[in-house]
Amino acid sequence: MFTGIITDVGAIRSLTQLGDLRIEIETSYDLSSVAIGASISCNGVCLTVVEKTANRFAVDVSAESVAFTNISDWHLDAPINLERALKVGDELGGHIVSGHVDGVAEIIAMLDEGGSTRVTLRAPEGLAKFIAPKGSLALNGTSLTVNEVNGVEFGINFIPHTKAVTTWGVSKVGDRVNLEIDTLARYVARLQDWT
């Protein structure tokens, strides 16, 4: 369980296919406080720490996770939004984020407005119905509020602080981003399907 408030931007240091994909990520986290088996959100994907050194941790990624996320786009030295798992009593500054990516959206337009950047994305057809104006979603692990929705396209806004402390400051048109819809929307839709 996460909040969508990014607490570090790590960097990919190795990608090795060992049956599953083994990824090593450099971080500024104090890894002495991170247990083997702990969950860390990596660009919105909940991954399990399987090895660690003083400043790097390794995760194994299944073919299923690679297929349904933007992990196939990750490369050496790529920046990665990181968030450690939520602990009981932590401040919930964003919204409840599971780290279970629903699909991949694509950035189709970016426009600077003052210090902020307005971004338009295209959602997969099957997920667009879950995205509502002023609703919450997570993109590459970042908790965001939707500005507007037009069919499969939706808009968000990045303030300067968000661009400075996440990977959003280097995003560009054409980037594929991990999309997690709001948990509440998912359950409401399931209940409607059931009745």
Side-chain angles (χ1 to χ4, degrees), residues 107-140:
I107 298 175
I108 59 172
M110 299 180 79
L111 176 66
D112 289 332
E113 294 180 347
S116 296
T117 302
R118 185 171 291 274
V119 179
T120 304
L121 299 101
R122 182 180 301 115
E125 184 83 31
L127 296 177
K129 67 181 179 181
F130 297 107
I131 302 171
K134 305 308 175 201
S136 297
L137 50 68
L139 295 174
N140 277 354

Side-chain angles (χ1 to χ4, degrees), residues 18-177:
L18 301 168
D20 286 331
L21 177 62
R22 171 73 54 99
I23 302 175
E24 189 174 278
I25 300 170
E26 188 172 324
T27 181
S28 65
Y29 289 150
D30 175 7
L31 291 176
S32 68
S33 67
V34 175
I36 298 296
S39 295
I40 296 180
S41 172
C42 303
N43 265 8
V45 183
C46 178
L47 297 173
T48 302
V49 175
V50 296
E51 286 183 358
K52 63 179 185 167
T53 64
N55 66 344
R56 295 182 183 189
F57 66 93
V59 296
D60 289 333
V61 184
S62 69
E64 168 99 358
S65 293
V66 172
F68 287 97
T69 67
N70 68 1
I71 291 174
S72 62
D73 298 341
W74 296 7
H75 56 85
L76 287 179
D77 301 323
I80 298 293
N81 288 327
L82 299 176
E83 181 187 359
R84 291 183 63 179
L86 185 63
K87 295 185 202 92
V88 173
D90 283 353
E91 179 180 333
L92 183 60
H95 72 284
I96 298 293
V97 176
S98 68
H100 303 159
V101 172
D102 295 293
V104 176
E106 180 184 356
I107 298 175
I108 59 172
M110 299 180 79
L111 176 66
D112 289 332
E113 294 180 347
S116 296
T117 302
R118 185 171 291 274
V119 179
T120 304
L121 299 101
R122 182 180 301 115
E125 184 83 31
L127 296 177
K129 67 181 179 181
F130 297 107
I131 302 171
K134 305 308 175 201
S136 297
L137 50 68
L139 295 174
N140 277 354
T142 311
S143 174
L144 296 162
T145 302
V146 177
N147 288 338
E148 69 275 335
V149 178
N150 182 13
V152 297
E153 297 179 6
F154 65 97
I156 55 170
N157 192 61
F158 290 109
I159 62 171
H161 174 78
T162 303
K163 293 188 297 183
V165 299
T166 69
T167 61
W168 291 105
V170 296
S171 296
K172 61 190 180 311
V173 171
D175 283 355
R176 296 175 350 115
V177 300

